[in-house]
Amino acid sequence: MVQSVYFHIPFCEQICYYCDFNKFFLKNQPVDEYLDDMAKEMENTVKRFSYSRMKTAFVGGGTPSVLNEKQFDRFFGAIHSNFKFEPGYEFTFEANPGSLDYDKLKALKEYGVNRLSIGVQAFQDELLKRIGRNHQENDIYENIELARQAGFNNISIDLMSGLPGQTLRMFKESLEKAKKLPIDHVSSYSLQIEPKTIFYNQMNAGTLHLPPEEEETAMFEELIKQMRDNGFIHYEISNFAKPGKESKHNLTYWDNNEYYGIGAGAHSYIDGVRRENAGPLKKYMLLVKKEGFPYFRENRLTLEQKMEEEMFMGLRKRTGVSKDIFYHKFGRTIDDVYGRAIDQLLKKGLITIDNESVCLTEQGVFLGNEAFEAFLIDG
């Protein structure tokens, strides 16, 4: 049964140089019409795929905080018309520093949002400019303080490592400043160069200068150490939380559970089928108007694919993959399906296994891709 929903707002006032998410410059876009089509997709989705109540919701982008007051009303009104939430639900809203004032934050609280995910990325103004961000360090402190004043007691920030021009000293400085903030969760991701990004074009032109691999590894080591020393639980490869503040929505993905995806370019997983919505704005909107659903691609997973994904996603969690849950989902034991891969990874020191679960070791966290690939059944 679906208990989580993701909403995609693809509009941005500025495009970050590393971003490969589905996004469009805000200026001259049909935002109101897009929100109406999202509302129609919501309505059609819950009619076609039943649910009881949502445990989590997540509004991402793009930059959702670029919506104005009337657009907030339109958007959240559609959400609450179509979705009911369980007591104790988690409702996350993404925002960039500098994009939220007190009135907008209070409005978010009134709409039921109770968790903020703020895209900090770095604390050095020069570095922020170099990666295409339009905020500065002071905006970080101001927005987090305003969020606390508005009543938010669950705030996450995103950081990035391996950025062009970023040194280990700079990343340590960002971690030191992050630790002093009244925040509850940190996600930190290493830069990945993706096609159709400005950084990808710079890399092909030979003008992108990245830190050496050993310095990037040192950044990850420093991240783990400083987060743990400051009372954050390392609960997923790239995520750290104060006790009880783990991202419930993202755990939906890592637990390989089903979810709705609403909006241009959004993905969903329902009844064993992964669906991808059309990304181009006009195509998304046309499909919703003509067909009711914006699906661009649908893939019904085989049993083998479901088991592979259970391992890929579950091993990202430090608690690993539960043997009982694996057997309950698939009617086969992990040892029966993956005995050979498990033996190989045990010998390499990349996983541990006991009566309850299969987990990455400390070494395995740094070599996660090697461990994940071993669970390809045809690999």
Side-chain angles (χ1 to χ4, degrees):
M1 179 68 71
V2 180
Q3 294 183 311
S4 295
V5 56
Y6 171 82
F7 305 98
H8 192 70
I9 304 295
F11 307 110
C12 295
E13 292 180 325
Q14 182 168 324
I15 303 299
C16 300
Y17 299 167
Y18 54 83
C19 181
D20 71 327
F21 294 138
N22 197 47
K23 74 282 182 185
F24 308 94
F25 279 114
L26 176 64
K27 189 176 181 180
N28 298 324
Q29 296 291 354
V31 179
D32 292 336
E33 184 182 356
Y34 173 77
L35 294 177
D36 287 342
D37 289 330
M38 282 188 77
K40 178 59 68 174
E41 186 192 357
M42 294 180 209
E43 180 183 352
N44 293 342
T45 297
V46 298
K47 285 180 180 177
R48 179 174 174 182
F49 306 107
S50 62
Y51 80 102
S52 53
R53 289 180 178 267
M54 293 290 106
K55 287 185 176 180
T56 75
F58 196 108
V59 182
T63 310
S65 47
V66 300
L67 299 181
N68 62 36
E69 182 179 346
K70 289 184 178 179
Q71 290 163 349
F72 264 24
D73 280 337
R74 186 188 299 255
F75 175 58
F76 286 105
I79 290 175
H80 289 292
S81 292
N82 289 287
F83 296 98
K84 305 301 180 185
F85 294 87
E86 283 194 356
Y89 68 90
E90 176 193 273
F91 196 154
T92 302
F93 188 89
E94 278 188 344
N96 288 340
S99 67
L100 293 173
D101 58 27
Y102 184 76
D103 289 341
K104 191 169 279 191
L105 285 161
K106 288 297 289 185
L108 288 174
K109 285 288 290 183
E110 292 172 3
Y111 293 126
V113 174
N114 53 28
R115 182 176 184 270
L116 294 178
S117 177
I118 300 177
V120 169
Q121 315 311 358
F123 283 80
Q124 297 79 25
D125 288 346
E126 178 185 347
L127 184 56
L128 289 168
K129 183 178 180 180
R130 189 177 298 156
I131 65 176
R133 302 293 283 177
N134 62 357
H135 73 269
Q136 296 185 323
E137 180 182 355
N138 284 339
D139 295 323
I140 301 167
Y141 308 127
E142 290 176 4
N143 265 190
I144 290 176
E145 176 60 26
L146 285 175
R148 287 297 187 186
Q149 291 176 13
F152 284 94
N153 60 7
N154 193 353
I155 300 175
S156 176
I157 67 168
D158 288 351
L159 295 176
M160 294 186 71
S161 60
L163 296 169
Q166 187 181 39
T167 64
L168 177 58
R169 178 193 62 78
M170 293 168 71
F171 188 65
K172 285 183 177 180
E173 180 183 66
S174 288
L175 291 174
E176 290 292 342
K177 292 181 176 181
K179 290 192 304 183
K180 296 176 183 178
L181 294 172
I183 58 174
D184 313 280
H185 187 281
V186 174
S187 299
S188 185
Y189 300 100
S190 177
L191 174 67
Q192 302 296 314
I193 307 298
E194 303 289 354
K196 300 181 182 179
T197 63
I198 294 174
F199 278 164
Y200 183 79
N201 295 335
Q202 291 179 356
M203 181 182 68
N204 287 339
T207 60
L208 186 68
H209 306 293
L210 302 174
E213 185 176 344
E214 58 270 20
E215 186 158 16
E216 192 172 339
T217 300
M219 291 180 189
F220 189 39
E221 291 172 341
E222 187 68 22
L223 168 71
I224 294 173
K225 179 181 183 303
Q226 289 210 35
M227 288 293 100
R228 287 179 174 172
D229 289 350
N230 201 49
F232 284 79
I233 298 168
H234 187 191
Y235 75 101
E236 191 271 346
I237 288 179
S238 301
N239 286 270
F240 304 80
K242 292 290 180 69
K245 298 292 189 176
E246 297 86 351
S247 172
K248 295 177 182 177
H249 185 83
N250 286 339
L251 282 166
T252 297
Y253 305 142
W254 300 322
D255 287 337
N256 203 27
N257 292 330
E258 298 190 338
Y259 55 91
Y260 297 126
I262 306 293
H267 294 243
S268 60
Y269 182 37
I270 308 169
D271 296 337
V273 179
R274 293 203 178 275
R275 295 177 174 87
E276 179 182 349
N277 287 359
L281 208 57
K282 290 183 178 179
K283 186 172 183 179
Y284 166 83
M285 295 166 68
L286 181 63
L287 283 172
V288 172
K289 288 179 173 69
K290 290 183 65 177
E291 302 181 16
F293 295 95
Y295 303 142
F296 169 70
R297 183 180 292 115
E298 299 185 53
N299 178 31
R300 179 169 295 280
L301 301 184
T302 64
L303 176 62
E304 289 74 17
Q305 288 172 326
K306 291 178 182 177
M307 291 189 293
E308 288 173 359
E309 290 188 356
E310 189 79 9
M311 302 305 295
F312 295 162
M313 303 306 292
L315 281 174
R316 293 191 62 88
K317 300 177 297 178
R318 296 314 317 273
T319 54
V321 180
S322 164
K323 287 187 169 184
D324 285 344
I325 291 175
F326 188 95
Y327 183 78
H328 177 74
K329 283 185 174 182
F330 308 116
R332 300 178 64 184
T333 68
I334 290 179
D335 305 84
D336 176 40
V337 179
Y338 292 114
R340 181 180 175 185
I342 288 172
D343 288 342
Q344 292 175 343
L345 294 173
L346 284 170
K347 290 176 182 177
K348 293 180 179 180
L350 300 185
I351 63 168
T352 61
I353 186 168
D354 56 27
N355 290 332
E356 295 182 356
S357 61
V358 179
C359 306
L360 292 180
T361 61
E362 292 296 325
Q363 180 186 3
V365 169
F366 286 83
L367 298 172
N369 286 339
E370 182 177 345
F372 302 154
E373 289 172 4
F375 291 100
L376 288 169
I377 292 177
D378 296 330

